[in-house]
Amino acid sequence: LEEFTMPMHMGFRWYGEGDKVSIVSGFTMAKPQALKKRGDHWETTLSIAPGTYKFLYIIDGKNTLDPYSEEKDGRSLVVVK
């Protein structure tokens, strides 16, 4: 019997400059997912299956690392448990 794991709701926030902010990763099927402006930051919540993922923020068209995440192979890392 294969174990089924429910996707987790993960929040992503960008505290920084930018007029257009999105996130891209395997969990977005490599398509940029827009973040919404909320006061002094940008945010989105995504349903993600457990695993370790590499991701980037795209700030005004420029690939940008998350300054609060570990880095591997030029990408930020997030672990979903």
Side-chain angles (χ1 to χ4, degrees):
L1 186 66
E2 188 174 329
E3 183 179 335
F4 179 75
T5 52
M6 295 292 292
M8 298 292 296
H9 294 286
M10 293 287 298
F12 293 89
R13 289 186 176 174
W14 172 257
Y15 292 91
E17 299 297 317
D19 294 316
K20 186 176 179 188
V21 178
S22 54
I23 188 170
V24 67
S25 175
F27 55 75
T28 66
M29 303 302 180
K31 295 178 183 162
Q33 179 78 35
L35 279 71
K36 292 186 172 86
K37 181 76 169 163
R38 300 269 192 247
D40 67 344
H41 66 277
W42 297 78
E43 68 180 26
T44 192
T45 301
L46 302 170
S47 292
I48 306 172
T52 300
Y53 300 93
K54 297 176 189 173
F55 73 97
L56 286 170
Y57 287 113
I58 303 173
I59 314 300
D60 298 334
K62 182 181 177 204
N63 290 346
T64 307
L65 291 168
D66 181 347
Y68 303 104
S69 296
E70 288 186 50
E71 179 191 342
K72 183 176 182 183
D73 302 327
R75 303 286 188 265
S76 300
L77 287 180
V78 63
V79 178
V80 181
K81 294 183 180 187

